[in-house]
């Protein structure tokens, strides 16, 4: 006689997301965090003790941009970070022309020397 048991939520997630890598699973989780938010909404996130503040903010901002908006984070201390959902402007998507021209001008300058002391007898 076969044995039958109901799968747990963790087992179901593993079965459904078997083809995805760890990065895709994390991105999908952050996308789910923001599915109820619209432009103008406020929220806050509570960091776990092992979470890195910068990593969580970057992942949340990436999820927001995938949904077509951006996030404004407010400066705080501690494990709670308040934020506001704001409109994504076109200049946030593309690097600005001033940044591109600044990098091109540095490439056209004199050739860079190798660091350190110059050789006594160049080869």
């Amino acid at each position: 006689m076969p044995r039958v048991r109901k799968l747990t939520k963790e087992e179901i997630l593993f079965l459904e997301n078997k083809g995805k890598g760890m990065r895709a699973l994390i991105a999908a989780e952050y996308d789910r965090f923001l599915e109820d938010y619209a432009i103008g909404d406020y929220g806050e996130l509570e960091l776990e003790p092992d979470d890195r503040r910068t990593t969580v903010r970057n992942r949340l901002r990436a999820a927001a941009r995938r949904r077509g908006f951006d996030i404004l984070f407010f400066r705080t201390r501690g494990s709670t970070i308040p934020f506001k959902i704001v409109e994504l402007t076109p200049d946030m998507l593309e690097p600005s022309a001033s940044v591109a021209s600044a990098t091109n001008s540095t490439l056209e300058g004199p050739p860079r020397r190798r660091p350190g002391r110059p050789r006594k007898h160049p080869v």
Side-chain angles (χ1 to χ4, degrees), residues 45-112:
L45 61 97
E46 181 74 29
L47 298 173
E48 296 290 325
D50 58 336
D51 286 337
R52 296 175 77 190
R53 186 181 207 67
T54 306
T55 303
V56 171
R57 284 178 46 163
N58 289 341
R59 287 176 177 169
L60 202 61
R61 176 164 279 138
R65 289 189 176 183
R66 285 191 297 270
R67 297 186 60 78
F69 47 78
D70 197 21
I71 295 184
L72 174 66
F73 292 101
F74 299 100
R75 291 179 175 237
T76 59
R77 292 182 185 245
S79 62
T80 303
I81 305 173
F83 61 88
K84 179 182 180 182
I85 304 296
V86 295
E87 189 173 344
L88 184 65
T89 59
D91 61 331
M92 291 179 184
L93 294 174
E94 301 173 5
S96 65
S98 61
V99 172
S101 64
T103 55
N104 288 340
S105 65
T106 58
L107 295 176
E108 297 170 0
R112 295 186 56 169

Side-chain angles (χ1 to χ4, degrees), residues 12-53:
I12 293 169
L13 282 174
F14 179 75
L15 282 175
E16 290 178 348
N17 298 318
K18 193 170 184 175
K20 295 182 181 178
M22 193 61 173
R23 286 181 186 233
L25 292 175
I26 291 171
E29 183 178 2
Y30 278 82
D31 287 339
R32 280 194 304 273
F33 292 158
L34 295 177
E35 64 188 13
D36 294 333
Y37 286 89
I39 294 174
D41 290 344
Y42 287 81
E44 70 178 11
L45 61 97
E46 181 74 29
L47 298 173
E48 296 290 325
D50 58 336
D51 286 337
R52 296 175 77 190
R53 186 181 207 67

